[in-house]
Amino acid sequence: MARPSPRLLIAGALLTLAAAATAARQGSAPRAALPFTVISADARRPLAASLVGETVMVSLDDLAALFRLTVRDDAVAGGVTVGYKGRTIVLTAGQPLASAAGRLVSLPAPPSRDGRRWLVPVEFVSRALGPVYDAKLDVRKNSRLVLVGDVRVPRVTVRQEAAGAQTRVAFAVSPRTTYTVSQEPSRVLVHFDADALDASLPTFSPQGLLQSIRLSESGQTVTLDVGPRFGSFRTSTAPLEEGGIQVVVDLLPAAAEPTPAVPTRAGPPALPVPPLPDLPPPAIQPTAGALRTIVLDAGHGGDDTGVKGATGVLEKDVTLAMARRLKSVLEGRLGVRVLLTRDADQAVPLDDRAAFANNNKADLFVSLHANASARQTVGGAQVYSFSAGRSPDDARLAAMPPQVLPTVGGGSREIEMIPWEMAQVRYVSESASLAAAVEEQCRDRVRMNPRAVLQAPLRLLAGANMPAILVETGFLTNPEDETHIASEAFQNGLAQALVDGLLRYRDVAAQPRPRQGNAPGAGREPVRRLP
Ligand SMILES: [Zn+2]
């Protein structure tokens, strides 16, 4: 772009000021949001997104780089002109419209200034750029995809259900897409022959043999993490009326109840049966999903006292007392390894806390705190999990170019690198389930805040490479809470509730336990499930 004249600069600065003032008035300064992935036949590229009010916006500069557009400010009219191969799109400040090659199209919100950048609703891509662009452009907002040209991105809707000892996962796939299902030590991979998946995964709660459902980084594989009781799987396919297919994956237990003998009859051979349950254990023991190691983090410590209550109760003391109590209850009831980020009144840097959990390959990370409020009346416990929605790190994540790595056997594959500090983005939904399970168990035993389950972009949790929650045990600024939090009765009750919550999260049946062999009743114990 040519060097702008001083007059334009001043006009631009005034516009920026005006925009900033508007943004401040409406409380709508852009917040970072999870990035989109732009999928074309030959590449996957990230596209940073932000939220202005409730509208998902992308920057015109980013679109210009991705789609070879020119972006020209029209300072006098207060708008911007986007060019592509001699065709133009005109946007006017304050108007939720665009003129694309002379045709007016509507947008969910007007373009918005963010410093020197213009932000436009992501729908701009399909509605305004689509009509002037050489290839088809499609925005799949829910799965955060922008599709360029003819790419194969089937819609995949996943459901889970327990059926007796087995767990069924059903995939509605449209249009029909070929797939393969394979097994690894602690997971079953359902891979689709597609450029990406427009996937909608269930709000997951661990159930039966299934620990979690997630979309792989490559975006073409749905990973079913299975617990230690998992033995094998069975798949079947059926056409769907709407033209797609339904793929059913049945997860079968390893130490299954003895399969009732199928009466032998003349006729077609029986369906293939799962591998025999008496096989020796695999060389690699399944670990994913099992609760082996839990890291408890006593908030604050040393010079960092945290919140101080009116009668002198210090947050750093109650968090340590709680962590120790919880450790002994967890070890006693679950027989798991419990590690504390600190076991003394000492300072531990914020980033070292999640790093400690990562280094110890913890399966869960639970941080304990006590809250403060300017209003004394505010009280009760709260359970937080991480959300990336407003984290400034999000923009960095989105800005990182995909890395191309050589693969064994030649060729290369593209993987998305997640910065270490953002490890938690993979566990957002699992952590939310964990928070919900813990809150549910706390509800009956501990006074809860009206807003008891929350998500926030907490830096403490961002680096944890496992499901993670932060429990605010109550408000030390609330006199009643202060008395409670310091009391043994409250701490015991909360510890019990937390243990039950963790158990609730990871189905009791998935816990490693002494093998009962073929003792009578083995495999017949009642399985606790989430309702
Ligand atoms: Zn704290």
Side-chain angles (χ1 to χ4, degrees), residues 299-300 306-307 315 368-370 472:
H300 311 275
V307 183
E315 182 183 359
L368 299 164
H369 285 256
E472 293 281 6

Side-chain angles (χ1 to χ4, degrees), residues 176-465:
R176 167 184 277 274
T177 305
T178 53
Y179 69 95
T180 52
V181 184
S182 56
Q183 182 174 343
E184 290 183 2
S186 57
R187 57 200 185 165
V188 172
L189 305 173
V190 185
H191 177 84
F192 292 91
D193 185 19
D195 294 303
L197 301 180
D198 184 356
S200 100
L201 302 180
T203 320
F204 182 78
S205 47
Q207 189 178 51
L209 301 167
L210 191 56
Q211 300 297 311
S212 68
I213 301 180
R214 58 204 162 85
L215 194 59
S216 74
E217 277 167 53
S218 68
Q220 298 135 328
T221 304
V222 177
T223 301
L224 311 176
D225 290 306
V226 292
R229 288 204 155 193
F230 167 78
S232 61
F233 68 87
R234 216 164 24 194
T235 62
S236 61
T237 310
L240 284 177
E241 278 185 25
E242 316 88 74
I245 50 168
Q246 165 156 282
V247 178
V248 172
V249 178
D250 284 323
L251 304 174
L252 310 168
E257 293 149 58
T259 317
V262 180
T264 321
R265 262 191 252 150
L271 288 170
V273 286
L276 294 170
D278 286 341
L279 289 175
I284 305 167
Q285 288 292 339
T287 53
L291 280 188
R292 301 267 161 94
T293 303
I294 296 174
V295 165
L296 300 179
D297 173 48
H300 311 275
D303 290 342
D304 172 15
T305 59
V307 183
K308 185 177 180 181
T311 68
V313 175
L314 294 181
E315 182 183 359
K316 68 169 182 177
D317 295 334
V318 288
T319 57
L320 182 57
M322 274 298 313
R324 287 174 174 159
R325 207 174 287 268
L326 183 54
K327 175 181 158 78
S328 75
V329 179
L330 276 170
E331 286 174 339
R333 273 184 59 189
L334 303 187
V336 295
R337 183 166 77 129
V338 179
L339 304 173
L340 304 182
T341 54
R342 67 177 177 99
D343 195 7
D345 181 17
Q346 71 195 66
V348 180
L350 200 59
D351 289 338
D352 288 3
R353 296 171 186 256
F356 175 81
N358 295 344
N359 292 340
N360 284 289
K361 300 205 164 30
D363 301 302
L364 293 178
F365 178 74
V366 178
S367 183
L368 299 164
H369 285 256
N371 219 333
S373 167
R375 283 185 297 146
Q376 270 197 12
T377 48
V378 176
Q382 295 172 306
V383 187
Y384 281 87
S385 65
F386 179 80
S387 81
R390 297 170 189 212
S391 164
D393 285 336
D394 239 26
R396 288 194 37 228
L397 170 65
M400 290 202 43
Q403 312 284 306
V404 177
L405 297 186
T407 58
V408 179
S412 64
R413 71 194 169 100
E414 226 172 42
I415 60 164
E416 286 170 53
M417 301 293 283
I418 304 262
W420 178 86
E421 314 91 276
M422 288 296 282
Q424 185 63 202
V425 293
R426 297 162 199 237
Y427 298 96
V428 165
S429 68
E430 280 174 273
S431 297
S433 308
L434 174 61
V438 165
E439 189 273 332
E440 192 192 322
Q441 291 303 308
C442 286
R443 218 182 289 150
D444 300 334
R445 286 179 262 198
V446 178
R447 190 160 76 106
M448 300 302 287
N449 185 272
R451 298 182 62 206
V453 194
L454 296 158
Q455 282 189 304
L458 300 169
R459 162 120 173 251
L460 174 72
L461 302 180
N465 193 27

Side-chain angles (χ1 to χ4, degrees), residues 39-42 134-138 147-153 195:
I39 310 257
S40 56
D42 53 355
D134 280 349
K136 194 166 72 181
L137 297 178
D138 192 5
L147 311 183
V148 182
D150 285 318
V151 286
R152 294 161 309 154
V153 182
D195 294 303

